[in-house]
Amino acid sequence: MVAVGGYGRGELSPHSDIDLLFLLSPRTEVTKATLRGLLYPLWDAGWQVGHAARTPKEAIEHTAEDLDAATALLTARMIAGSSELYDEFVDRRERWIKKDRRSLARRIVDATTERHKRVERAGWVLAPNLREDLGGLRDLHRLRWLAEIGEQPAHFPQELLGGGETLLAVREALHAQLKRKSDSLRLDLQPSVAETLGITDVDELMFQVHSAARTIEQEGNALAATLVGRVLGGPKRSGWVKRIGHRISVDEGALTLDESLDVQISDGLRLLAAHAQGGRPIHPRTFVRLADVFKDKEPRAWDEETRTAFFELLAGGHCVSALESLDHVDGWSALLPEWKRIRALAQHDPYHRYTVDGHLFVVVSEIQRAIENDPIAQAAAAEAGDLDTLRLAALLHDIGKGSGRDHSIVGEELARTICERSGLQRDEIEEVAALVRWHLLLIDTATRRDLDDGAVIASVADTVGDGRSLRLLYILSVADGRGTGPEGWSDWKAALTAELYRKALVALETGEVPSRSDVTARAREVEAYEPGLAGRAEDVLATLPPSYLEATSVPDMVDDVRILLHPPEKGEVRHRVYEGLERGEAAITVCVPDRPGTLARTAGVFALHRISVLQAQAFSTTAGLALERFIVKVPEGSTWAAFEADLEAVYSGRLALEARLEKKIREYRPTKPFEPEVRVLPEASAHSTVIEVRAPDALGLLFAVTAALTDLDLDIHVAKIDTLGRRVVDVFYVRNSWGEKLTEAQSDEVRRSIHHRVGRLFGE
């Protein structure tokens, strides 16, 4: 009996698979009953046991077609049984390694490359896979395998081994919590894993995990290159060396620093800037020297060479890699000591994908991608001119996180300190500080306020102050959204942000707040797209609010006009379903006669069918119709026929929605009781009272909130619904039944009504 795989390495976690190889002599006959006798006690005890029964010759032959089997044998060790059989196996293994060393190394390298394409990076992603992600335990296994097939002993740096011990300890705690095998350190499991390890702060746990994974990624890749080179042989040197800058050369395609005793921080930054600009790798020997360049340097005012090199680094197409290299050599301690608090800091915003510092690196790189892919950002960049302050603001915009205060305000304070140390001019300091302070202004306003309201546009324009700042802020908003994660940016958010930007820019440059979109121009676009609507589109579009005209694409507008040309009668519903979005998502448009409670009814039917609303907008037309638009997440296996039937039944009075919904939520209650945060903002709009509700996402929440507003006979003039991972922000512009803003007493009742409805549905 031979231990292979993780059992052979001696790295079993509590619920790891136990992999066994039964070695047989050629004359031995092993029946299934014999194996069952050995394995059933283990299976009955709850162990996951993988096994194979082969002769030593067969075990080696099997490696030709199965890389997993091949690597499992590299760390095999004997458990019990015939030492002669095991010795024969070891002898055959040594001969196999000697013969196939080069091809096996290539197979390991190729498999690693393919895995890295599929996985996340454990040092940067918020919920890493401790085994498979880049920088995870599997990358350490790769090094063990390469070391086993090498002809020389390999030295593993202590920090590399320490990183592996950290990940193994966390993996064991994860298994202990789940009582089963798992490698995914999900966000909801992190607090209990930290507690199991005796770590009081989950951020400290994730700092250790992310730091360990970054070390494994950087040090592991360097060691892997060395080990592979020993087996395959390095490329033949041509002697080609080219100097490309002060103390910087390209030696056989890799960047190097001159062997000088007085290398300065500015020299290290020039090297990283060359890497960022051209993408050439840094020579491993030079990478080691970089750590000495920044080591034990006290933060001080930057000279012009340091500042120039740093801005060149930020502008490079490979800036993320350069910034990560700066992290690995601890360059931030010498340049920006304020960086220490956010290094490898986990984020608790539900829509973020990366650590705070990882997100900042990505957003810097997204500046150029936003300019290339967004025509509005492209024009804004051309008109703004120099973008150095924008890139620095992108790097610093979340540096205030983790302080316990509003990160935008803290970030502004830190940005001023950093800019002064870096030697920027006063106007540049003010520009960076303002961008950091207001980096959420456009996206938050666009998704939570009525962009038809002149007061909203005027407020944004007054806050930003001038056209250049607004242009830079728009590009930063796009880059920030794109760099956040899948739920941080969407076509819907992009359209609303662009609309707000255009209106605020007009207000800044003309002094006049745009009051309405040109209905005629939009109608011409619709009719050009669909000639069959010629002569009819303008009358229909004129009944819709300007925010609809700004935020809706022409193809969607065409479909909406078709619906509105044949409006539903009382009790009828017009709707359309479009499933050509992301996997599992669909766009739904619902049109019904406008009356109090329409949004609540539609939201209730979604909840009844366990369809999650990700985003929504609701519009009232002057023709007495309600047009509701939703982006939803559809459960697997669902069909639209039952949903459509219930939608018709609700609006025709044939379905007791609330009674059915309460029963459904009692049966399916994945959330704990919670209290929503209800904000009443009477001054946010000139014509309506703004109600903002923040809460954990829960099945039926949108129904509960909108039903609470219906209970008070309030008219929802505009609704904007946004689901951010596990939390929602729902915003409603409401008026009372006689078309006025709410009184203070009515506002108090709104809070009471929403808390009552939510408590009734989601309380114990």
Side-chain angles (χ1 to χ4, degrees), residues 235-380:
K236 293 184 178 179
R237 289 188 57 82
S238 65
W240 185 83
V241 178
K242 178 183 179 182
R243 182 173 293 277
I244 62 171
H246 180 64
R247 292 179 176 168
I248 301 174
S249 301
V250 180
D251 183 351
E252 302 291 347
L255 295 168
T256 63
L257 270 176
D258 289 356
E259 297 291 337
S260 173
L261 296 177
D262 61 342
V263 175
Q264 303 297 312
I265 285 178
S266 58
D267 298 319
L269 284 176
R270 282 197 196 96
L271 181 84
L272 291 170
H275 172 59
Q277 292 286 338
R280 289 191 180 97
I282 298 172
H283 195 284
R285 183 180 66 251
T286 298
F287 204 93
V288 173
R289 290 191 64 214
L290 269 179
D292 293 331
V293 171
F294 294 100
K295 186 178 180 181
D296 298 329
K297 298 291 195 304
E298 290 295 326
R300 60 184 181 183
W302 296 10
D303 57 30
E304 184 176 350
E305 293 179 349
T306 298
R307 184 168 57 254
T308 300
F310 191 74
F311 279 120
E312 287 178 0
L313 188 163
L314 295 182
H318 302 271
C319 62
V320 172
S321 176
L323 291 166
E324 290 176 357
S325 297
L326 191 60
D327 171 82
H328 188 65
V329 298
D330 196 24
W332 295 111
S333 297
L335 291 168
L336 305 179
E338 299 85 355
W339 199 264
K340 181 178 180 180
R341 193 184 66 249
I342 63 163
R343 183 185 183 273
L345 179 63
Q347 308 216 55
H348 303 290
D349 295 331
Y351 45 92
H352 270 285
R353 181 178 182 181
Y354 301 111
T355 59
V356 174
D357 57 342
H359 168 68
L360 294 177
F361 296 167
V362 170
V363 172
V364 174
S365 71
E366 286 291 345
I367 295 290
Q368 188 58 38
R369 291 188 182 90
I371 293 170
E372 292 171 354
N373 297 311
D374 183 331
I376 299 174
Q378 189 175 71

Side-chain angles (χ1 to χ4, degrees), residues 114-128:
E114 286 303 311
R115 174 172 56 83
H116 286 176
K117 292 177 182 178
R118 300 190 307 269
V119 300
E120 296 282 6
R121 300 175 66 203
W124 306 91
V125 74
L126 294 181

Side-chain angles (χ1 to χ4, degrees), residues 20-42:
L20 297 173
L21 170 63
F22 295 106
L23 290 176
L24 316 173
S25 67
R27 298 173 299 280
T28 303
E29 295 220 0
V30 177
T31 66
K32 291 183 178 180
T34 303
L35 288 178
R36 284 198 297 268
L38 287 166
L39 297 173
Y40 270 25
L42 297 174

Side-chain angles (χ1 to χ4, degrees), residues 509-708:
E509 296 190 338
T510 68
E512 297 182 2
V513 176
S515 58
R516 180 165 183 101
S517 299
D518 186 341
V519 177
T520 301
R522 297 296 274 162
R524 286 173 182 161
E525 292 180 48
V526 168
E527 292 170 358
Y529 189 90
E530 178 48 72
L533 297 176
R536 297 187 291 170
E538 184 170 354
D539 289 342
V540 173
L541 294 179
T543 68
L544 286 154
S547 57
Y548 170 86
L549 300 175
E550 293 284 357
T552 307
S553 67
V554 171
D556 286 340
M557 211 175 284
V558 167
D559 289 335
D560 292 345
V561 168
R562 287 186 178 129
I563 290 176
L564 293 170
L565 281 171
H566 303 283
E569 301 294 334
K570 290 183 179 180
E572 290 185 339
V573 181
R574 295 278 189 272
H575 71 279
R576 63 184 171 93
V577 178
Y578 175 68
E579 296 184 275
L581 303 179
E582 297 289 332
R583 183 176 180 181
E585 294 183 5
I588 316 293
T589 300
V590 175
C591 180
V592 293
D594 196 13
R595 54 176 173 161
T598 55
L599 185 56
R601 288 183 176 87
T602 308
V605 177
F606 280 129
L608 198 60
H609 289 266
R610 291 179 55 190
I611 297 174
S612 299
V613 176
L614 303 179
Q615 297 165 359
Q617 288 180 285
F619 308 97
S620 294
T621 75
T622 57
L625 296 172
L627 190 67
E628 302 163 353
R629 310 181 68 197
F630 304 87
I631 303 295
V632 300
K633 191 79 172 178
V634 186
E636 289 188 14
S638 297
T639 60
W640 288 109
F643 167 81
E644 292 165 352
D646 282 348
L647 194 64
E648 295 279 356
V650 163
Y651 279 101
S652 61
R654 293 183 285 106
L655 190 148
L657 177 61
E658 191 164 350
R660 290 176 178 266
L661 191 56
E662 287 186 6
K663 182 175 183 294
K664 171 71 73 173
I665 291 175
R666 282 196 301 271
E667 295 172 350
Y668 180 77
R669 191 190 297 274
T671 57
K672 298 177 181 178
F674 60 88
E675 280 282 322
E677 179 186 353
V678 182
R679 302 179 181 179
V680 180
L681 308 172
E683 304 303 323
S685 168
H687 56 72
S688 302
T689 298
V690 176
I691 310 295
E692 190 172 288
V693 181
R694 299 166 181 254
D697 189 24
L699 180 73
L701 176 65
L702 180 58
F703 167 79
V705 174
T706 50

Side-chain angles (χ1 to χ4, degrees), residues 173-477:
L174 179 63
H175 282 205
Q177 284 297 316
L178 290 176
K179 310 301 183 194
R180 59 179 173 81
K181 180 178 70 173
S182 178
D183 299 305
S184 181
L185 188 56
R186 301 194 321 253
L187 295 175
D188 59 314
L189 297 173
Q190 291 169 11
S192 57
V193 169
E195 184 179 356
T196 300
L197 292 169
I199 300 174
T200 57
D201 184 0
V202 69
D203 285 346
E204 174 59 26
L205 166 72
M206 296 314 298
F207 174 80
Q208 293 184 25
V209 169
H210 289 130
S211 296
R214 293 180 188 188
T215 297
I216 292 172
E217 179 180 350
Q218 288 278 0
E219 297 291 335
N221 285 343
L223 180 56
T226 299
L227 295 174
V228 171
R230 290 178 181 176
V231 176
L232 300 180
K236 293 184 178 179
R237 289 188 57 82
S238 65
W240 185 83
V241 178
K242 178 183 179 182
R243 182 173 293 277
I244 62 171
H246 180 64
R247 292 179 176 168
I248 301 174
S249 301
V250 180
D251 183 351
E252 302 291 347
L255 295 168
T256 63
L257 270 176
D258 289 356
E259 297 291 337
S260 173
L261 296 177
D262 61 342
V263 175
Q264 303 297 312
I265 285 178
S266 58
D267 298 319
L269 284 176
R270 282 197 196 96
L271 181 84
L272 291 170
H275 172 59
Q277 292 286 338
R280 289 191 180 97
I282 298 172
H283 195 284
R285 183 180 66 251
T286 298
F287 204 93
V288 173
R289 290 191 64 214
L290 269 179
D292 293 331
V293 171
F294 294 100
K295 186 178 180 181
D296 298 329
K297 298 291 195 304
E298 290 295 326
R300 60 184 181 183
W302 296 10
D303 57 30
E304 184 176 350
E305 293 179 349
T306 298
R307 184 168 57 254
T308 300
F310 191 74
F311 279 120
E312 287 178 0
L313 188 163
L314 295 182
H318 302 271
C319 62
V320 172
S321 176
L323 291 166
E324 290 176 357
S325 297
L326 191 60
D327 171 82
H328 188 65
V329 298
D330 196 24
W332 295 111
S333 297
L335 291 168
L336 305 179
E338 299 85 355
W339 199 264
K340 181 178 180 180
R341 193 184 66 249
I342 63 163
R343 183 185 183 273
L345 179 63
Q347 308 216 55
H348 303 290
D349 295 331
Y351 45 92
H352 270 285
R353 181 178 182 181
Y354 301 111
T355 59
V356 174
D357 57 342
H359 168 68
L360 294 177
F361 296 167
V362 170
V363 172
V364 174
S365 71
E366 286 291 345
I367 295 290
Q368 188 58 38
R369 291 188 182 90
I371 293 170
E372 292 171 354
N373 297 311
D374 183 331
I376 299 174
Q378 189 175 71
E383 293 161 0
D386 182 80
L387 302 181
D388 280 351
T389 54
L390 171 62
R391 294 191 180 95
L392 183 57
L395 181 71
L396 302 178
H397 74 275
D398 278 349
I399 199 169
K401 287 192 171 179
S403 66
R405 296 166 53 204
D406 185 325
H407 79 279
S408 298
I409 296 174
V410 176
E412 178 189 10
E413 298 168 357
L414 294 174
R416 290 183 184 279
T417 301
I418 291 167
C419 288
E420 288 172 0
R421 186 189 308 120
S422 63
L424 266 62
Q425 299 297 317
R426 178 53 51 188
D427 59 335
E428 295 174 320
I429 294 174
E430 293 301 321
E431 193 163 80
V432 173
L435 288 171
V436 172
R437 173 67 181 89
W438 301 110
H439 71 272
L440 293 175
L441 177 66
L442 294 185
I443 184 65
D444 280 357
T445 303
T447 56
R448 300 172 189 175
R449 296 293 178 262
D450 181 7
L451 303 188
D452 296 336
D453 192 333
V456 171
I457 307 303
S459 175
V460 170
D462 290 344
T463 299
V464 177
D466 62 79
R468 172 177 163 82
S469 296
L470 181 62
R471 290 179 174 93
L472 297 181
L473 187 60
Y474 175 76
I475 301 170
L476 178 57
S477 299

